[in-house]
Amino acid sequence: QKEVEQDPGPLSVPEGAIVSLNCTYSNSAFQYFMWYRQYSRKGPELLMYTYSSGNKEDGRFTAQVDKSSKYISLFIRDSQPSDSATYLCAMSEETSGSRLTFGEGTQLTVNP
Amino acid sequence: DAGVTQSPTHLIKTRGQQVTLRCSPISGHKSVSWYQQVLGQGPQFIFQYYEKEERGRGNFPDRFSARQFPNYSSELNVNALLLGDSALYLCASSSSGTGLQKLLFGSGTQLSVL
C-alpha cells in the first residue's frame, strides 16, 4: 500500500467551477503538508504548505489538513483555464529534511 | 535571480551506460535534493545534500550516487543504466536542511534509456 494515495483523475471542469483535490495518507508521523502544481514538461511549483492540522487560504486556493482522518484537501475557487495542470500533494516528517512523499498527482483541465 | 538550473534538458542513453546529471541551486541555497519522476507518477526522493554532506537517501540501488560541490552545485550519477531508469530527474534546492522544506524545483532532465 502506498503511503500517500491520490486520485489521478483526469478531472475536467468548466471555467469558474470550484475544484476539490484530495489525498489520504497512512503515515501518522507526517507533519508538513504541501500542494505542488506541475505544468507539462516543467518541474513542480509549490502552491501551498501547512504544518499539522488546520486550514490555510491564499487567494483562490484553500488547503485543509485533517490529521485525525489522515486526509488533506486543496480547493480552487473560480477556476481558470490557466489552472489546468497536474496537482501533486506532498508530505514530510518533522525530521526528514527534504524527503517529501508525493502522491501520484491529479490531472486537472479547466475548460473555457 | 535565476531559478534552479539543470543540464542537460534531454539525454538518450543505452542500457549499461553511465550518465551524469548536473544541478545549480538558487543562489544562497545550501541544500540540494534529487527526485525521480516516472511518467504518470509523483516524484520519488533519491538524495538530499546539505553543506556538501549527504543528509538522506531514498530507496534506490547503489547504482545511484551523488555529490555536492563547495559552490553547492550537485551532480547525480547513475551507473549501469536500465530501461526502468527512464524518467524525468528533478533537482530541488532549499535554504535549510531541516524543518519545513519549501523546495524549489528545476525543470528537470528527461532521461531516455534505450
Side-chain angles (χ1 to χ4, degrees):
Chain A
Q1 183 186 359
K2 295 179 181 178
E3 274 191 298
V4 178
E5 298 276 1
Q6 183 176 10
D7 185 343
L11 184 61
S12 181
V13 301
E15 184 175 353
I18 296 175
V19 176
S20 173
L21 304 168
N22 312 292
C23 289
T24 58
Y25 63 94
S26 58
N27 184 351
S28 58
F30 285 145
Q31 293 288 342
Y32 299 114
F33 302 91
M34 291 141 277
W35 286 94
Y36 281 82
R37 176 174 63 193
Q38 186 173 26
Y39 293 112
S40 181
R41 291 185 293 277
K42 295 289 187 182
E45 169 197 9
L46 181 61
L47 274 178
M48 304 276 291
Y49 60 91
T50 55
Y51 175 71
S52 195
S53 284
N55 295 356
K56 186 172 184 179
E57 189 172 319
D58 184 3
R60 297 185 295 111
F61 298 90
T62 299
Q64 291 184 349
V65 174
D66 181 350
K67 291 192 70 181
S68 62
S69 302
K70 296 190 177 67
Y71 187 88
I72 72 170
S73 302
L74 178 70
F75 297 95
I76 307 173
R77 290 182 298 279
D78 187 25
S79 56
Q80 302 295 310
S82 59
D83 294 328
S84 298
T86 296
Y87 289 80
L88 297 153
C89 63
M91 309 173 191
S92 66
E93 300 179 17
E94 183 83 43
T95 58
S96 64
S98 66
R99 182 194 300 257
L100 304 187
T101 302
F102 282 85
E104 66 179 283
T106 299
Q107 186 178 346
L108 171 68
T109 300
V110 180
N111 301 298
Chain B
D1 282 341
V4 176
T5 57
Q6 292 187 243
S7 64
T9 55
H10 295 85
L11 207 49
I12 299 175
K13 292 286 188 179
T14 56
R15 282 178 298 175
Q17 285 189 311
Q18 175 264 341
V19 68
T20 298
L21 312 180
R22 295 177 175 83
C23 172
S24 292
I26 288 172
S27 178
H29 282 190
K30 300 179 179 179
S31 175
V32 169
S33 305
W34 288 94
Y35 283 79
Q36 180 196 65
Q37 187 174 24
V38 173
L39 188 65
Q41 300 293 316
Q44 270 201 292
F45 174 78
I46 310 176
F47 285 110
Q48 180 188 10
Y49 275 79
Y50 180 72
E51 288 278 19
K52 295 159 292 211
E53 291 188 0
E54 183 181 304
R55 286 295 188 91
R57 183 187 182 111
N59 188 24
F60 281 81
D62 291 343
R63 299 184 296 108
F64 289 76
S65 63
R67 55 180 175 168
Q68 187 176 32
F69 299 99
N71 66 352
Y72 303 111
S73 67
S74 178
E75 286 182 352
L76 175 70
N77 294 284
V78 187
N79 293 324
L81 285 168
L82 302 174
L83 296 180
D85 295 331
S86 296
L88 180 67
Y89 288 84
L90 295 161
C91 174
S93 77
S94 59
S95 56
S96 69
T98 58
L100 174 63
Q101 297 285 300
K102 300 177 190 178
L103 298 184
L104 298 174
F105 284 88
S107 291
T109 294
Q110 183 65 56
L111 173 65
S112 298
V113 182
L114 306 178

